[in-house]
């Protein structure tokens, strides 16, 4: 996926202040996002942050997004969540004549 470096930058910027490391991988149409911290990141907050970082991203090759919450030093994720990529599309803006584009 050509947009993976851009996606990684967006996610790293979003999580930089939260003392979490984040990395993204892409395989077979799925974007895998790994969020890691000393204590496992809270699932709902992390999913919302990932969703917020990626809103408006135009990446038609992404068919699924899986997010993993990991605690540093543990080999298995504490939780796994999914985000529907359709929810990331930017809302259509009304045109001057009132129709949506």
């Amino acid at each position: 996926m050509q947009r993976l470096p851009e996606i990684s930058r967006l996610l790293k910027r979003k999580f930089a202040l939260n003392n979490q490391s984040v990395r993204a991988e892409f395989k077979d149409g799925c974007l895998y996002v790994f969020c890691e911290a000393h204590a496992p990141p809270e699932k709902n907050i992390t999913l919302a942050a990932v969703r917020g970082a990626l809103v408006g991203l135009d990446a038609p090759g992404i068919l699924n997004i899986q997010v993993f919450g990991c605690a540093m030093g543990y080999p298995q994720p504490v939780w796994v969540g999914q985000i529907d990529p359709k929810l990331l599309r930017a809302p259509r803006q009304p045109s001057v004549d009132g129709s949506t584009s």
Side-chain angles (χ1 to χ4, degrees):
M1 157 161 275
Q2 295 177 348
R3 311 253 349 236
L4 191 57
E6 177 186 356
I7 291 169
S8 293
R9 278 192 303 276
L10 287 169
L11 292 169
K12 286 179 181 181
R13 189 178 315 137
K14 183 74 170 183
F15 286 92
L17 300 176
N18 296 349
N19 294 322
Q20 293 183 32
S21 66
V22 63
R23 67 184 166 84
E25 297 176 9
F26 182 77
K27 184 177 179 182
D28 299 327
C30 186
L31 176 65
Y32 298 94
V33 179
F34 299 88
C35 300
E36 185 178 57
H38 289 289
E42 201 282 315
K43 184 176 183 176
N44 291 333
I45 292 172
T46 303
L47 287 171
V50 170
R51 194 177 309 111
L54 300 178
V55 163
L57 180 71
D58 181 27
I62 296 176
L63 306 175
N64 188 23
I65 302 170
Q66 289 194 346
V67 182
F68 299 85
C70 306
M72 288 183 180
Y74 291 90
Q76 298 295 322
V78 176
W79 56 261
V80 179
Q82 290 195 343
I83 299 172
D84 183 348
K86 293 178 200 137
L87 300 175
L88 302 179
R89 293 186 184 134
R92 293 181 172 184
Q93 299 296 322
S95 64
V96 176
D97 66 3
S99 63
T100 55
S101 55

